[in-house]
Amino acid sequence: MRRRLAFLLIQSLERAMPLDRRQWVAALAREIEEIPDDSAALGWAFSSAVGMTGDAMMKHTVPTLARWGLATATSLFAVSQLFPTVLTLAWRHGNEGLLNSLGATMVSGSYHRVVPIMGRMSDLNLFLCAGTAALFVVAALQTLRRKANAATWYAVALFIVVVQVLFHQSNAIYLDIFTSRELMMTGVFLVPLSGMLALMVWLGRQDYPASRLR
Amino acid sequence: MPRTPNASPHTRAVLSALAAQPQAWRYGYELSKETGLKSGTLYPLLIRLSDQGLLESEWRPSVQAGRPPRHAYRLTAEGLALARNRAVSLEAQPRSPSELPA
């Protein structure tokens, strides 16, 4: 079962890769047959999928402009993730100046809507928001440095976001509508991020010059 | 300060493993076991070395009958020179106090 899963993963990877990478993925697939242990074979396939995808994304698929765009959008998304943490901490410490500057004004209705949510925000949720923001910042930096492990940082950050939504669903939903200002900022961040991801998928389907493989 | 190309510990490990038997064709799984690198780290390195003309690769018939060919690798003359150069420069580096004999 594990070996079949490993082959399935590698075959999917081969289809998704640009032409000049496919022979390398075929080489990776061939090596699976030489690995005696099924779990090790699955580990080999998983590592190959992460490493080769990251490498293709950073070095070949994503041109400089798109990489800068992706890094910028990711950094802004990180700020957006940090927003509820800062807002809640400001609320807990009674920092009205910071609350006002973040859009949770004392006079508007949004503040009253936000109060019970800030009161319910658990420490774990705050930690997850801040942690995800840090991971997105690292992912953005690694993207700019053309490091293949950027894909891993994105994957870990997105995994935490999913966990956060699953286990703190009510809070997570409210976090997205914390204040009108934050909602607007999130929208502004998500549009370029989505555009960059779509561009990456489109570029990933283009063919590249044949490699030096003989 | 500009970075020295192919000077990362992972790249040095791969170059060193390949330079140990310069004439022999080596396989990915063997190299992975020898260097301790995962496939997702090893193969992007091999691709980069190949793109730089430091590594040659070819599909070689399998030793075991009935099995498809395997992709094999060895250093080019340029790659071998670089590997030896890296090994020499590593030896010439001053050691950390913990590595020095008491």
Side-chain angles (χ1 to χ4, degrees), chain A residues 195-207:
Chain A
M196 291 306 159
L197 286 172
L199 184 67
M200 279 165 55
V201 170
W202 180 75
L203 285 169
R205 302 193 67 82
Q206 307 305 303
D207 292 340

Side-chain angles (χ1 to χ4, degrees), chain B residues 50-98:
Chain B
S50 173
D51 287 346
Q52 291 172 352
L54 302 172
L55 185 80
E56 55 182 336
S57 55
E58 69 175 40
W59 290 95
R60 295 185 65 79
S62 178
V63 183
Q64 292 167 295
R67 287 211 170 182
R70 289 176 80 180
H71 206 221
Y73 317 96
R74 72 178 179 191
L75 291 174
T76 60
E78 207 180 329
L80 191 58
L82 179 79
R84 286 181 177 152
N85 183 27
R86 287 277 174 273
V88 168
S89 61
L90 197 66
E91 282 170 17
Q93 276 178 7
R95 290 183 182 184
S96 66
S98 60

